[in-house]
Amino acid sequence: MKISQRIHHRIWLKNLLSTVALLIVIGLLAWLSARYSVQSDWTANARNTLSEASQKILVTMPGEIVITVYLDQPALKKQLTDLVRRYQTGKSDLRLAIEDLEAHPEQLRRLDIAAAGAILVDYQGRSERLSTLSESSLTNLLRRLANANERWVTFLSGHGERSPTGDANHDLKTFARELERRNIKVQILNLAAMPFIPNNSALLVVAGPRTALLPGEAELIREYLQQGGNLLWLADPGVEQPGVLEETTGVRLLPGTIIDGGSKLYGVDDPSFVLVSEYPVHAITRNFQLITVFPQAAALAVDSESDFDAAAILSSIARSWTETGPIGKVVQFDADSDEHEGPLHLAFALERKLPGSRRQRIVVIGDGDFLANTYLGNAGNLDLGLRLFNWLTFDDQFIDIPAKTASDRKLQLTENSVMVMGFGFLVILPLLLIATGIFIWRRRKSL
């Protein structure tokens, strides 16, 4: 059949219009794919999708969330980027900012970020540091930031305690500033001037008293504890602690200063610096993996007849002891004295149930330097201090998100199976292809 010129033009025009229409459809699809995104998780355990608990937390957080990364490790950056991308699918105004460690030295000093870097999460003027890269850690951090409830903590003064407003090396101003950033308000109390503990106080902090409490002051603290008040007591070695501490909690200080036989492994020449790298299972230290540094720490013991459920949360290594003599370059354990061998406990967390389903929490630590202005930036000291305050003020509800693992990720083959597969792919399959090619060639040649 002969195609006329008119039909030829019609076919050409039809093909042109079809091509143009196809290009328009492809362009529209490309525009839609750039403007909108659709994802589908087909993995067996939906391990690339946020858990329901994480999604609920994001719903309760209107406004922008900014995650700022100060890291040099590419592997950690990629891991964090993948994790944040899952959160961004449920919250479009969650922003990830990656900063160069060397580009902003002043900012790093202001934020007290060490050379190893840090991950900061900011929300509505409050900020927290992410210590572990996991959905569980990030979701619980977001939950704390979403909690806008104001909490007040009271610092006792008048007996040489470390001040939350002081600039001296041994004071706690830097740590108090971190508490303020997390909506934890700080107030100072001198019981000699105001003989009562404020009702708005969620926690009383006794940060290393250097002189004795007056009898009336000790009685006020005793009544506060008997009524179920929460307490953080920071004690220092060589300083006699008020009797109200042992009377009410059952915790006492052992004589001497802890000597850490393993501190030199971390490059610390002072043997009185205790480094803790392993932690027991407790709500305060859950998933905590950072090293903490305690200069000049005292060992603690708890009375077995105490009304509290006591748990040791910080302990020295086995190669440690309490040194009761002068601490010089050379020190050694004296078995004939009242010195104690390690491992030694330098912090106890105490808890008891009160009438009406209420609970009371107390933490006693044999060192106050670890939160001081000089030492707060060492390793995980700040993170541990914040965990202590969160637990003591009952802001420690932990959302346990089990890790999602892929099922059947490993294929187990016997030696016979491997031999059959190898013989099939290396011999039988190539022969079949060659035979098929010869058959097709001969058939075409015969036509």
Side-chain angles (χ1 to χ4, degrees):
M1 176 180 171
K2 187 177 181 181
I3 300 176
S4 64
Q5 190 70 18
R6 183 178 179 182
I7 296 176
H8 180 75
H9 283 296
R10 285 182 178 179
I11 295 175
W12 179 84
L13 182 60
K14 182 180 179 181
N15 291 337
L16 178 62
L17 293 175
S18 299
T19 304
V20 172
L22 179 62
L23 292 175
I24 292 175
V25 170
I26 294 174
L28 288 173
L29 291 175
W31 178 78
L32 290 173
S33 65
R35 189 176 182 85
Y36 305 100
S37 63
V38 178
Q39 296 182 357
S40 180
D41 188 358
W42 291 2
T43 55
N45 296 326
R47 62 182 182 275
N48 295 319
T49 304
L50 283 183
S51 65
E52 184 178 355
S54 299
Q55 296 176 25
K56 287 181 178 179
I57 291 294
L58 293 177
V59 171
T60 63
M61 301 182 70
E64 185 182 48
I65 301 173
V66 180
I67 301 177
T68 308
V69 184
Y70 298 91
L71 293 173
D72 278 337
Q73 301 95 323
L76 289 179
K77 288 182 182 179
K78 184 180 184 306
Q79 185 180 352
L80 178 63
T81 302
D82 294 340
L83 177 62
V84 170
R85 188 178 293 116
R86 291 158 55 187
Y87 283 83
Q88 289 174 330
T89 58
K91 186 171 179 61
S92 58
D93 54 353
L94 190 151
R95 184 164 59 88
L96 178 64
I98 299 178
E99 300 289 346
D100 187 357
L101 272 174
E102 300 179 356
H104 308 283
E106 291 295 332
Q107 187 175 359
L108 297 182
R109 280 193 290 269
R110 179 173 57 83
L111 296 174
D112 196 21
I113 296 176
I119 302 172
L120 303 182
V121 183
D122 296 277
Y123 176 69
Q124 294 185 351
R126 299 186 296 278
S127 176
E128 290 240 11
R129 299 193 183 203
L130 182 66
S131 57
T132 306
L133 283 181
S134 67
E135 180 185 345
S136 179
S137 298
L138 182 53
T139 294
N140 282 283
L141 185 149
L142 293 176
R143 183 199 58 76
R144 291 194 299 271
L145 289 177
N147 182 14
N149 295 331
E150 190 175 75
R151 290 164 287 164
W152 284 88
V153 295
T154 301
F155 282 76
L156 189 66
S157 67
H159 316 89
E161 294 91 348
R162 303 170 191 273
S163 172
T165 59
D167 294 311
N169 291 339
H170 64 274
D171 285 328
L172 308 176
K173 183 177 182 179
T174 304
F175 182 69
R177 191 185 304 124
E178 293 292 336
L179 294 178
E180 293 278 354
R181 291 176 59 190
R182 289 156 179 82
N183 216 26
I184 300 177
K185 305 300 181 181
V186 172
Q187 58 189 358
I188 300 176
L189 172 65
N190 188 328
L191 289 175
M194 188 173 68
F196 63 90
I197 298 174
N199 293 330
N200 68 342
S201 179
L203 173 67
L204 175 65
V205 181
V206 182
R210 313 296 294 185
T211 60
L213 274 66
L214 298 175
E217 295 175 324
E219 183 61 29
L220 287 173
I221 294 177
R222 187 179 292 106
E223 292 178 359
Y224 167 80
L225 295 176
Q226 289 174 350
Q227 294 170 4
N230 302 315
L231 173 70
L232 171 62
W233 195 294
L234 303 178
D236 291 303
V239 180
E240 185 177 355
Q241 300 301 305
V244 65
L245 173 64
E246 184 174 351
E247 293 170 8
T248 55
T249 66
V251 178
R252 68 182 188 278
L253 271 69
L254 300 179
T257 302
I258 298 178
I259 298 299
D260 189 343
S263 59
K264 288 187 177 181
L265 297 176
Y266 296 93
V268 179
D269 293 330
D270 191 339
S272 65
F273 276 55
V274 180
L275 280 75
V276 180
S277 59
E278 297 182 0
Y279 306 89
V281 178
H282 191 272
I284 295 176
T285 55
R286 182 188 285 114
N287 295 333
F288 189 66
Q289 301 173 353
L290 301 175
I291 296 175
T292 45
V293 181
F294 300 88
Q296 298 283 326
L300 306 177
V302 63
D303 188 351
S304 59
E305 298 181 359
S306 173
D307 296 335
F308 292 86
D309 295 327
I313 57 173
L314 298 171
S315 301
S316 64
I317 61 175
R319 300 191 313 277
S320 62
W321 71 92
T322 54
E323 178 60 48
T324 57
I327 299 177
K329 292 185 178 180
V330 179
V331 286
Q332 61 182 8
F333 175 68
D334 185 0
D336 296 329
S337 66
D338 57 353
E339 296 179 350
H340 295 75
E341 284 187 287
L344 301 162
H345 304 311
L346 56 147
F348 279 98
L350 303 99
E351 188 173 14
R352 68 177 174 181
K353 187 176 181 180
L354 301 173
S357 300
R358 293 174 57 233
R359 300 195 71 83
Q360 179 183 18
R361 291 176 173 178
I362 296 175
V363 171
V364 182
I365 301 179
D367 176 47
D369 285 320
F370 81 104
L371 292 181
N373 296 332
T374 301
Y375 300 105
L376 185 65
N378 284 277
N381 286 19
L382 172 60
D383 292 315
L384 178 63
L386 294 173
R387 283 169 172 258
L388 289 169
F389 274 73
N390 286 333
W391 185 76
L392 287 166
T393 57
F394 291 89
D395 189 24
D396 64 321
Q397 299 98 349
F398 186 81
I399 302 173
D400 190 11
I401 301 174
K404 298 178 180 179
T405 57
S407 58
D408 299 333
R409 294 181 63 182
K410 294 183 178 180
L411 179 62
Q412 300 289 343
L413 296 175
T414 63
E415 292 186 6
N416 292 334
S417 300
V418 174
M419 291 177 59
V420 170
M421 291 180 64
F423 185 76
F425 279 104
L426 296 176
V427 179
I428 297 179
L429 186 59
L431 290 177
L432 286 175
L433 292 175
I434 293 172
T436 303
I438 294 174
F439 173 76
I440 295 173
W441 173 73
R442 290 178 60 88
R443 185 174 181 182
R444 287 181 176 179
K445 187 175 180 182
S446 63
L447 294 177

